[in-house]
């Protein structure tokens, strides 16, 4: 079975959540739906699930008895061995947030998956999809198949598949590399930025320029996103989540937002964003007090993921 047929199993469809630059933005702001707050899925795979994943072809594992779900790759840049797979799920145009979700990865739909893991629902703002994250590393670069099953509380089981490109290296700074120092627009000195922040209302993360933040001895949380022009509807939620976390840390952390595009040219990154060599946006970097990138989140994430990474910046 080829990759196209894998994606068409039982009429399955995929929808983009995180997409490459130049395809990620539109001129008109998009409305953003917000899911309710159900119980996340947790736990390890059952013995029968593990056996199925080890012995059945990936195409069979994700051909669920009750039909299709829409799946989106919520992480446009996935590194080899990064240990995180993020997908957005919906059924009949409604976010799936009440299911036990399992993620499987492989390179051949006719062979058993090479790895599988239970995914947890990530609480936080999102477009009209439920965000699930699995702790699952992919061992080599290339195009990989990601299969998903979702078992809902009423016993129905849905499935689907999506392909993702896994890369060995990134043009943007990764953990252990120095942050890129660049002057960024601030409230006091917008430097011609238009808009300074396209979120509504504007976010509070424009009080210090990134170059100054990297010199003041504090950790820095940097978010590059275009809330009003994000066709994938993740930029606004990301900016709002980081803004909401800011008050608890503002006395000892820097928070910087770079608006990715100028309103008159939303196909070209502004210079400050271009300096970070992004392959997608939104993108959030976690930088320690010495100016070294400690972690990063490309695309969508939730409150707990964000809080854990911010808190880790204060640990040796």
């Amino acid at each position: 079975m080829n990759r196209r047929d894998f994606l068409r199993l039982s009429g399955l469809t995929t929808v983009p959540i995180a997409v490459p630059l130049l395809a990620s933005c539109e001129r008109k702001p998009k409305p953003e739906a917000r899911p309710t707050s159900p119980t996340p899925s947790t736990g390890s795979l059952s013995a029968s699930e593990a056996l199925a994943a080890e012995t059945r072809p990936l195409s069979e594992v994700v051909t669920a008895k009750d039909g299709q779900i829409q799946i989106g790759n919520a992480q446009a840049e996935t590194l080899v061995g990064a240990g995180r797979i993020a997908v957005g799920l919906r059924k009949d145009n409604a976010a799936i947030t009440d299911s036990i979700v399992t993620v499987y990865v492989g390179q051949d739909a006719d062979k058993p998956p090479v790895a599988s893991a239970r995914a947890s629902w990530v609480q936080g703002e999102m477009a009209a999809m439920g965000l699930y994250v699995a702790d699952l590393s992919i061992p080599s670069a290339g195009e990989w198949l990601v299969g998903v099953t979702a078992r809902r509380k009423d016993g129905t089981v849905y499935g689907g598949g999506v392909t993702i490109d896994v890369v060995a290296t990134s043009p943007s700074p990764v953990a252990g590399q120095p942050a890129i120092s660049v002057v960024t627009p601030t409230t006091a000195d917008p430097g011609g930025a238009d808009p300074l922040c396209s979120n509504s209302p504007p976010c509070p993360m424009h009080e210090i320029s990134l170059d100054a933040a990297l010199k003041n001895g504090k950790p820095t949380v940097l978010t590059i996103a275009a809330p009003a022009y994000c066709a994938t509807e993740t930029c606004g939620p990301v900016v709002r989540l980081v803004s909401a976390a800011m008050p608890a840390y503002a006395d000892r952390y820097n928070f910087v937002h770079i608006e990715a595009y100028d309103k008159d040219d939303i196909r070209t990154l502004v210079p400050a964003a271009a300096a970070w060599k992004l392959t997608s946006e939104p993108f959030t970097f976690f930088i320690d007090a010495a100016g070294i990138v400690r972690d990063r989140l490309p695309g969508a994430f939730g409150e707990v993921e964000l809080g854990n990474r911010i808190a880790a910046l204060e640990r040796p």
Side-chain angles (χ1 to χ4, degrees):
M1 176 182 291
N2 62 35
R3 283 164 167 74
R4 179 173 297 178
D5 290 337
F6 174 76
L7 297 178
R8 290 177 175 173
L9 286 171
S10 302
L12 297 174
T13 57
T14 61
V15 291
I17 297 178
V19 294
L21 291 172
L22 303 185
S24 62
C25 294
E26 296 181 348
R27 287 195 175 274
K28 294 183 179 179
K30 294 264 188 171
E32 296 175 47
R34 305 183 187 186
T36 56
S37 301
T39 302
S41 78
T42 57
S44 303
L45 271 64
S46 67
S48 60
E49 288 173 319
L51 180 62
E54 291 174 1
T55 60
R56 294 170 57 199
L58 177 59
S59 58
E60 291 184 12
V61 171
V62 300
T63 305
K65 64 184 180 68
D66 296 304
Q68 70 184 64
I69 49 177
Q70 291 178 300
I71 303 175
N73 173 22
Q75 186 169 280
E77 185 175 281
T78 301
L79 291 174
V80 170
R84 183 182 188 267
I85 300 292
V87 292
L89 308 179
R90 74 182 176 202
K91 171 68 175 173
D92 298 329
N93 294 319
I96 293 178
T97 56
D98 60 353
S99 299
I100 295 175
V101 171
T102 306
V103 176
Y104 307 86
V105 297
Q107 287 190 302
D108 189 335
D110 295 322
K111 294 181 179 179
V114 301
S116 56
R118 186 78 80 214
S120 293
W121 173 73
V122 174
Q123 186 173 2
E125 288 192 55
M126 185 65 176
M129 304 192 86
L131 178 64
Y132 287 82
V133 175
D135 183 7
L136 193 60
S137 295
I138 294 182
S140 61
E143 187 179 59
W144 283 76
L145 306 178
V146 176
V148 176
T149 59
R151 186 168 68 246
R152 309 194 82 164
K153 292 179 180 179
D154 63 3
T156 56
V157 180
Y158 301 109
V162 67
T163 61
I164 64 172
D165 291 319
V166 180
V167 296
T169 59
S170 173
S172 302
V174 299
Q177 295 181 342
I180 297 171
S181 181
V182 61
V183 174
T184 61
T186 65
T187 304
D189 184 8
D194 186 13
L196 179 64
C197 178
S198 67
N199 193 61
S200 182
C203 77
M205 298 185 289
H206 296 270
E207 297 307 306
I208 186 171
S209 176
L210 180 61
D211 64 327
L214 296 177
K215 297 175 183 176
N216 69 3
K218 296 179 181 180
T220 298
V221 180
L222 169 66
T223 297
I224 304 174
Y229 308 107
C230 194
T232 59
E233 302 182 30
T234 57
C235 301
V238 161
V239 169
R240 286 193 289 272
L241 281 173
V242 179
S243 297
M246 180 177 170
Y249 299 92
D251 61 333
R252 60 192 191 278
Y253 280 69
N254 305 301
F255 284 79
V256 178
H257 167 228
I258 300 175
E259 180 69 32
Y261 305 96
D262 185 277
K263 67 180 179 63
D264 294 323
D265 185 7
I266 60 170
R267 295 183 62 83
T268 304
L269 288 171
V270 300
W276 277 73
K277 302 176 183 178
L278 301 188
T279 57
S280 66
E281 54 90 19
F283 220 118
T284 301
F285 295 88
F286 303 87
I287 305 162
D288 67 19
I292 303 299
V293 173
R294 292 272 292 272
D295 209 338
R296 45 189 232 151
L297 284 170
F301 51 81
E303 297 168 50
V304 174
E305 286 190 291
L306 174 64
N308 288 342
R309 283 163 173 79
I310 293 175
L313 289 176
E314 292 185 309
R315 296 195 291 267

